Amino acid sequence: MRTFKIGQNTDVFIGRDILRQGLLKPKGRTALITDSHVEKLFGLDLIQHFRKEGWNIELLSFPAGEKHKTRETKAALEDQLLRLNFGRDCTLIALGGGVVTDLVGFTAATFCRGVSFYSIPTTLLGMVDASLGGKTGVNTIYGKNQIGAFYPAHKIIIDLCLLDALPEREWINGMAEIIKYGAIASPALFDMLEQSVEKWAMRDPEFLAEIIFQSIQIKKSVVEEDPQETGLRAVLNFGHTIGHALETMTGYALSHGEAIALGMIVESWMSQQLGLLNSAEMMRLHCLFKKYNFSLTWPDPFDADSFKEALSRDKKAKDAEPRFVLLKAIGSVIEEHCRKVPSELIYAGLKHAKL
Ligand SMILES: NC(=O)c1ccc[n+]([C@@H]2O[C@H](COP(=O)([O-])OP(=O)(O)OC[C@H]3O[C@@H](n4cnc5c(N)ncnc54)[C@H](O)[C@@H]3O)[C@@H](O)[C@H]2O)c1
């Protein structure tokens, strides 16, 4: 098992079969909160185990899926906690993917003005991204993650056994972020990914543990330097300006991983066209997505107006003009983190990626 801290307040534990090793030690009354899929997969078993250990713990769940990451679901959970007489000294444990860790983290941030919060991510994306860095929140009809708080978990337990049940689409969502970490910050991680496709295909446990660990170290170093997302943290958005716009335009028919992979292809091409990135490095990135079997299917039909509208609403946009994280090489990005580019280049980039 590997253990380390993120910032001063978050203890992280990574290993296999570590959930039942007494690491959690929650304070006061405890609620294990999960979604309806993960409840059946792991929640019911775990609650029995924790009760046998003598914990005073309740299991709460809500319907799985992004569309339930709402203020309404949060209010329903809060009402259940209040009905059960939970108070200031309680602990909330999130067990699930990014939907659960975002929603439960936000609930923990506001319940009795902030209670103890532990996170057990169960998707690859949750392990390398969503559960780390303290961003919590819910969606509204106006967009994703618009209401929320910075509230880092006090403990994060990453038990790699939980991935054994993960569907293929969720593996791809996580791998897109891992490739992103290599591309923006680590030539060594990128090299390892290039050389290890067979290990990925076999879901080799040592390889998975290593790429998850390295990804977490990259996110850790970025969020420690910029905990409130005022500058450097933008680099984590490589591929996301185009990717988010594609997700919005397709009404989320395109998975997050496929959308940001297309985004990284377009944004690396723009980097190359601007003379920042050489063609060979750009091709390495494009080839890596192919090696890892990303479908890279361009949305068809392509609604240019809604794409443009979504781009202008990107959180890095200034005066409705989108800004992009651009690569200088595999493993490094431009110093100003993100910048505007001529709109002709964006549309030429889209054409290039469709080929
Ligand atoms: N806070 C952040 O910094 C941050 C970063 C990235 C993404 N996010 C958020 O994360 C969310 C996406 O997270 P996600 O991709 O984990 O989606 P998710 O939480 O919806 O999980 C995807 C699906 O997999 C199921 N599932 C979860 N664990 C499983 C397992 N071990 N085996 C089988 N099925 C399992 C879930 O029930 C769900 O149906 C989005 O809401 C996004 O905004 C947050």
Side-chain angles (χ1 to χ4, degrees), residues 121 123-132 158 173-178 180-181 208 211-217 219-220:
T123 58
L124 185 58
L125 182 92
M127 292 179 184
V128 298
D129 193 0
S131 68
L132 315 160
I158 297 181
N173 283 337
M175 182 44 97
E177 298 292 348
I178 294 173
K180 176 201 76 182
Y181 288 126
L208 289 177
I211 60 173
I212 291 171
F213 180 72
Q214 290 198 25
S215 298
I216 293 172
Q217 295 309 308
K219 180 140 186 191
K220 167 182 149 77

Side-chain angles (χ1 to χ4, degrees), residues 278-335:
N278 72 43
S279 305
E281 298 267 279
M282 177 190 78
M283 284 316 294
R284 282 177 70 195
L285 180 61
H286 295 196
C287 289
L288 195 59
F289 288 117
K290 292 197 179 123
K291 279 189 184 170
Y292 277 78
N293 277 332
F294 280 70
S295 82
L296 304 178
T297 311
W298 202 258
D300 186 22
F302 188 88
D303 178 350
D305 288 340
S306 77
F307 180 79
K308 210 170 164 187
E309 161 76 13
L311 267 190
S312 70
R313 285 175 179 267
D314 184 80
K315 65 181 174 189
K316 296 180 297 309
K318 276 200 180 143
D319 302 325
E321 286 198 79
R323 294 185 308 153
F324 297 86
V325 178
L326 299 170
L327 291 186
K328 287 198 308 190
I330 293 299
S332 90
V333 299
I334 50 171
E335 282 75 22

Side-chain angles (χ1 to χ4, degrees), residues 115-296:
V115 296
S116 190
F117 169 46
Y118 298 171
S119 190
I120 307 174
T122 62
T123 58
L124 185 58
L125 182 92
M127 292 179 184
V128 298
D129 193 0
S131 68
L132 315 160
K135 288 208 282 178
T136 69
V138 293
N139 306 329
T140 70
I141 52 168
Y142 303 100
K144 280 188 70 173
N145 301 321
Q146 285 176 319
I147 310 285
F150 282 100
Y151 200 69
H154 302 108
K155 285 186 188 179
I156 304 174
I157 314 279
I158 297 181
D159 190 329
L160 302 170
C161 289
L162 299 173
L163 295 175
D164 294 347
L166 205 62
E168 185 58 28
R169 186 180 160 106
E170 305 306 333
W171 283 102
I172 289 289
N173 283 337
M175 182 44 97
E177 298 292 348
I178 294 173
I179 291 176
K180 176 201 76 182
Y181 288 126
I184 61 167
S186 172
L189 173 58
F190 199 91
D191 285 352
M192 189 193 296
L193 294 172
E194 283 183 322
Q195 286 155 26
S196 313
V197 188
E198 300 77 27
K199 291 185 183 165
W200 167 253
M202 292 176 342
R203 305 287 186 250
D204 178 280
E206 275 176 31
F207 168 69
L208 289 177
E210 189 54 36
I211 60 173
I212 291 171
F213 180 72
Q214 290 198 25
S215 298
I216 293 172
Q217 295 309 308
I218 293 167
K219 180 140 186 191
K220 167 182 149 77
S221 66
V222 172
V223 301
E224 281 180 342
E225 209 171 307
D226 182 15
Q228 305 275 322
E229 201 171 28
T230 55
L232 174 68
R233 203 154 162 170
V235 302
L236 298 173
N237 276 298
F238 172 55
H240 286 57
T241 313
I242 296 285
H244 280 155
L246 292 174
E247 279 183 291
T248 310
M249 185 193 83
T250 58
Y252 298 92
L254 208 58
S255 80
H256 179 69
E258 297 289 354
I260 66 158
L262 289 170
M264 286 188 260
I265 285 176
V266 176
E267 293 178 17
S268 60
W269 184 83
M270 285 168 20
S271 309
Q272 186 262 339
Q273 291 292 304
L274 289 165
L276 298 162
L277 179 71
N278 72 43
S279 305
E281 298 267 279
M282 177 190 78
M283 284 316 294
R284 282 177 70 195
L285 180 61
H286 295 196
C287 289
L288 195 59
F289 288 117
K290 292 197 179 123
K291 279 189 184 170
Y292 277 78
N293 277 332
F294 280 70
S295 82
L296 304 178

Side-chain angles (χ1 to χ4, degrees), residues 35 37 41 66 69 97-99 102 122-123 125 130 135 145 162 165:
D35 73 23
H37 291 157
L41 287 169
E66 187 71 39
K69 197 177 111 178
V99 165
D102 274 10
T122 62
T123 58
L125 182 92
K135 288 208 282 178
N145 301 321
L162 299 173

